Amino acid sequence: AQRVTQPEKLLSVFKGAPVELKCNYSYSGSPELFWYVQYSRQRLQLLLRHISRESIKGFTADLNKGETSFHLKKPFAQEEDSAMYYCALITGGGNKLTFGTGTQLKVEL
Amino acid sequence: NAGVTQTPKFQVLKTGQSMTLQCAQDMNHEYMSWYRQDPGMGLRLIHYSVGAGITDQGEVPNGYNVSRSTTEDFPLRLLSAAPSQTSVYFCASSYHDRGYEQYFGPGTRLTVT
């Protein structure tokens, strides 16, 4: 069965420090992975998807099929990056999203 | 465009009561879904629909019913509320295509006493 694991519930970093939010997945097919973000008092929104290989707000994520990982990285954390981050995996033939349990990122001054 | 809208924003129910959470989207998206968000458990898929008249179960469907009579609306019905259904409920929609972005509603916070 498909599974998404985010091992850290909370990650605290100082402003300007590098950030890495971990995501590992388990899926027998060809994975399509996403990162969603939920800022305080806002709705969940897409941050980036692996197929587009884009960088959004300085964040990047590389799919590593060998390690079954899709870690989210940013070289220099900003205060406005504080939010809840969810890794998600599309499975099946449609748009069923399987989410990880989320990581709360707190950027301290 | 209003995007994805949900009503109500907050609701308190007593055990055994029934209610319907409303979800609507004005983007002509084929795909709509309902998730519940619980602390430490992330978002879990309850039901989804790939078009009007077509619905299917997600990961945690028990205790919930859905129907999709129009492209725009996808209501979620709680038949007999239980305290275990206390949660934040999110509706989402997208084009029915792999890799397309899901748009989320603002959520409904439900408490069952």
Side-chain angles (χ1 to χ4, degrees), chain A residues 30 32 34 36 38 43-44 46 49 51 86 90 92-97 99-101, chain B residues 4 31 35 37 40-43 48 90 94-99 101-102 104-106:
Chain A
S30 182
E32 292 190 42
F34 303 79
Y36 280 81
Q38 188 175 27
R43 62 185 72 191
L44 206 66
L46 179 68
R49 69 196 91 185
I51 58 172
Y86 291 97
I90 274 190
N95 290 30
K96 292 174 66 174
L97 270 181
F99 283 87
T101 51
Chain B
V4 180
Y31 179 78
Y35 296 87
Q37 183 184 42
M41 304 195 75
L43 281 84
Y48 67 100
F90 289 98
S94 70
Y95 291 108
H96 185 207
D97 191 13
R98 293 170 71 85
E101 175 180 356
Q102 290 212 9
F104 283 82

Side-chain angles (χ1 to χ4, degrees), chain B residues 36-74:
Chain B
R36 57 179 289 173
Q37 183 184 42
D38 301 293
M41 304 195 75
L43 281 84
R44 292 179 292 169
L45 182 64
I46 304 172
H47 285 286
Y48 67 100
S49 168
V50 299
I54 306 169
T55 64
D56 206 348
Q57 296 181 351
E59 181 184 354
V60 287
N62 292 341
Y64 307 95
N65 273 1
V66 293
S67 60
R68 184 95 178 271
S69 56
T70 67
T71 300
E72 295 79 18
D73 300 298
F74 191 44

Side-chain angles (χ1 to χ4, degrees), chain A residues 41-102:
Chain A
R41 290 185 290 278
Q42 294 187 28
R43 62 185 72 191
L44 206 66
Q45 58 188 284
L46 179 68
L47 180 63
L48 56 79
R49 69 196 91 185
H50 90 270
I51 58 172
S52 57
R53 302 183 68 82
E54 57 200 345
S55 173
I56 303 295
K57 299 184 179 182
F59 284 99
T60 58
D62 290 320
L63 177 61
N64 186 324
K65 290 187 178 180
E67 296 183 356
T68 60
S69 68
F70 188 56
H71 303 328
L72 184 67
K73 299 177 183 179
K74 185 170 183 177
F76 307 104
Q78 302 298 314
E79 189 180 1
E80 56 266 27
D81 296 329
S82 293
M84 178 69 85
Y85 291 80
Y86 291 97
C87 184
L89 167 70
I90 274 190
T91 61
N95 290 30
K96 292 174 66 174
L97 270 181
T98 297
F99 283 87
T101 51

